[in-house]
Amino acid sequence: AEVKDFGPSPAFPSPKEVRRTDRFAQLGIYAGWRALQDSGMDLEKLDRDQIGAFIGSGIGGLGPIADTAIVLKEQGVRRVSPFFIPSALINLAGGQISIRHGLKGPNHAAVTACATGAHAIGDAARMIALDDADVMVAGGAESSVVPIGIAGFLACKALCTAYNDTPEKASRPYDRGHAGFVMG
């Protein structure tokens, strides 16, 4: 569920870079960095033209979008950060993974709500099967546990509220008592 106590790591060379990147992308960039480390591949010995990234997100930079809307309304257009758009784009995580590791193969992002990570992995596998790439870093990254995310999902009645007194029982996707999803 929610990733707590996540902060700068070796995947981020500077605190400035962290400030310019939304949390969803930070999580994706870190996960991609770890996946490449864990793979045991020596990128120096591989054709990076044949290695790509396919990282998706259901919503992307929801926090910066909400925060920037407030800045725009209260302080005006001149106070909007030049890093607003780059920090919120869905393809930021995959793009940054490719840039940081010199991956020059396909670079794509999926946006298919809760199925995004699975679609990214499936589409990346298809790219390998079709010989578009030899290796793909694939998955999904999300960080929608922010006030506007919670409010939006509550407003459309998607969240489980039937177990507010017993939250440990709320996540039950295949149970007869299913009553919405749990943010995490």
Side-chain angles (χ1 to χ4, degrees), residues 59-163:
I59 295 180
L62 193 56
I65 292 169
D67 295 344
T68 301
I70 293 168
V71 168
L72 178 63
K73 182 174 179 154
E74 294 178 356
Q75 300 177 33
V77 70
R78 293 185 185 269
R79 298 301 299 166
V80 171
S81 168
F83 300 104
F84 160 57
I85 294 295
S87 76
L89 291 173
I90 299 288
N91 64 339
L92 181 66
Q96 283 296 316
I97 289 167
S98 291
I99 290 167
R100 292 160 191 257
H101 301 284
L103 311 182
K104 297 177 183 173
N107 190 295
H108 291 272
V111 181
T112 51
C114 296
T116 297
H119 284 160
I121 292 167
D123 287 350
R126 200 170 296 112
M127 288 179 168
I128 292 169
L130 294 172
D131 209 27
D132 292 333
D134 294 335
V135 175
M136 293 292 291
V137 178
E142 195 67 79
S143 184
S144 57
V145 182
V146 294
I148 197 167
I150 302 289
F153 286 119
L154 275 172
C156 70
K157 301 189 184 318
L159 294 182
C160 178
T161 58
Y163 300 93

Side-chain angles (χ1 to χ4, degrees), residues 13-97:
S14 73
K16 183 194 298 186
E17 194 174 3
V18 172
R19 286 192 307 274
R20 293 178 176 177
T21 309
D22 183 54
R23 190 166 194 266
F24 92 91
Q26 292 173 15
L27 293 166
I29 292 165
Y30 181 81
W33 173 74
R34 286 301 304 264
L36 286 167
Q37 275 192 327
D38 291 349
S39 76
M41 291 185 303
D42 183 351
L43 292 178
E44 299 304 319
K45 295 179 180 176
L46 298 173
D47 180 3
R48 293 186 197 204
D49 288 341
Q50 292 299 308
I51 305 172
F54 201 129
I55 309 295
S57 183
I59 295 180
L62 193 56
I65 292 169
D67 295 344
T68 301
I70 293 168
V71 168
L72 178 63
K73 182 174 179 154
E74 294 178 356
Q75 300 177 33
V77 70
R78 293 185 185 269
R79 298 301 299 166
V80 171
S81 168
F83 300 104
F84 160 57
I85 294 295
S87 76
L89 291 173
I90 299 288
N91 64 339
L92 181 66
Q96 283 296 316
I97 289 167

